Amino acid sequence: MSQSRDLSVEEKENLLQTLQTRFEKFRKRHPLLDWDAIQAKLEANPVKLWSLNEMELSGGEPDVVAYDEQTDEYLFFDCSAESPKGRRSVCYDQEGQLSRKEHQPEHNALDLAAEMGIELLTEKQYRELQKLGTFDAKTSSWIQTPAAIRKLGGALFADFRYGHVFIYHNGAQSYYAARAFRGSLRV
C-alpha cells in the first residue's frame, strides 16, 4: 500500500490509460457509458483515483460497471477473473485476525479495504458482478457480512461454481491462499 495518497503525473497517466483500455475491451459491462465523462470525473477526484490505483496494484483490475444518476457517481468493481492476488490470505476483520492463536495473517479484509478507500462488495453487488462475466471460478471473495452473522463469529464469502453464485460462511478468523476480497468504489 502506498503511504501518500497522491499519484505522480506518470502514475496517473498510466492508470488512466489502463482504465481506458479495460473500459474499451469490456464494453458489455457498460454499453451506455462514455469514457470521456468518466475520465473527467476521475481527474476531478484525485483521492478516488489513488484508490483505483491501489485496486489495480493489488490485482483487482477495477472497471466501471454502472452509473448512478441520482448521485451522479460511477461505480467501479474489482473485475479480475479471480479474487485479487495482492489481497489474499486475509481474515475477514481485525477481531477475526486477532483471535487467531497461531499463524496470524498480516492483514484483514475490512481494514485493508478501508486503507485503500474502498468497500467490500455486498451480496447483491457480487451477484450483479457475476452477470457481467465469470468471476471467482477457482477462488473465493469475502463480501460484506450482516452484523447479526458477524456478532456470532461468522463472515460471508462467495464464489462461482457449477454455473451458480454460491454464498457461504466461515469463521471470520479463517483465511485461505485462494480467498481475498473484491471491492467497490463510487466516483
Side-chain angles (χ1 to χ4, degrees):
M1 292 260 320
S2 304
Q3 294 296 340
S4 169
R5 291 190 180 238
D6 295 319
L7 298 179
S8 69
V9 171
E10 183 180 356
E11 288 172 322
K12 178 181 166 185
E13 289 174 359
N14 288 340
L15 178 61
L16 287 171
Q17 183 58 56
T18 297
L19 293 173
Q20 181 177 7
T21 299
R22 188 172 296 132
F23 179 86
E24 292 168 358
K25 182 177 179 181
F26 296 102
R27 285 295 298 169
K28 71 175 191 167
R29 293 179 185 161
H30 36 251
L32 304 176
L33 300 182
D34 173 61
W35 174 253
D36 291 336
I38 295 166
Q39 182 170 339
K41 187 75 109 160
L42 291 171
E43 289 176 342
N45 290 283
V47 172
K48 301 284 183 143
L49 199 57
W50 178 86
S51 292
L52 285 169
N53 195 56
E54 292 298 307
M55 292 170 80
E56 185 68 30
L57 291 175
S58 59
E61 300 179 22
D63 196 8
V64 63
V65 297
Y67 174 70
D68 186 334
E69 289 183 25
Q70 292 181 346
T71 62
D72 186 32
E73 293 175 312
Y74 293 97
L75 182 61
F76 285 80
F77 286 172
D78 284 309
C79 291
S80 54
E82 300 301 336
S83 201
K85 285 187 179 186
R87 302 183 219 154
R88 294 186 187 173
S89 298
V90 296
C91 296
Y92 179 74
D93 60 9
Q94 186 179 38
E95 183 181 347
Q97 180 184 1
L98 295 176
S99 73
R100 291 195 64 87
K101 304 291 185 231
E102 296 180 350
H103 311 292
Q104 192 176 93
E106 189 174 337
H107 297 290
N108 67 75
L110 288 187
D111 287 349
L112 194 53
E115 289 173 23
M116 296 170 69
I118 64 175
E119 295 184 354
L120 271 63
L121 294 184
T122 64
E123 179 179 346
K124 180 179 177 183
Q125 289 172 328
Y126 190 88
R127 291 182 185 282
E128 289 298 316
L129 174 68
Q130 291 291 357
K131 293 176 184 176
L132 301 175
T134 299
F135 303 94
D136 288 334
K138 298 176 187 171
T139 57
S140 61
S141 296
W142 289 114
I143 60 174
Q144 288 185 30
T145 299
I149 293 172
R150 186 61 199 96
K151 184 177 178 181
L152 295 172
L156 299 180
F157 68 95
D159 63 25
F160 186 81
R161 303 288 195 276
Y162 310 109
H164 286 59
V165 175
F166 287 92
I167 306 298
Y168 302 94
H169 60 89
N170 246 148
Q173 77 283 1
S174 301
Y175 70 94
Y176 300 94
R179 182 177 307 150
F181 66 91
R182 290 182 180 275
S184 69
L185 180 69
R186 290 180 165 273
V187 181

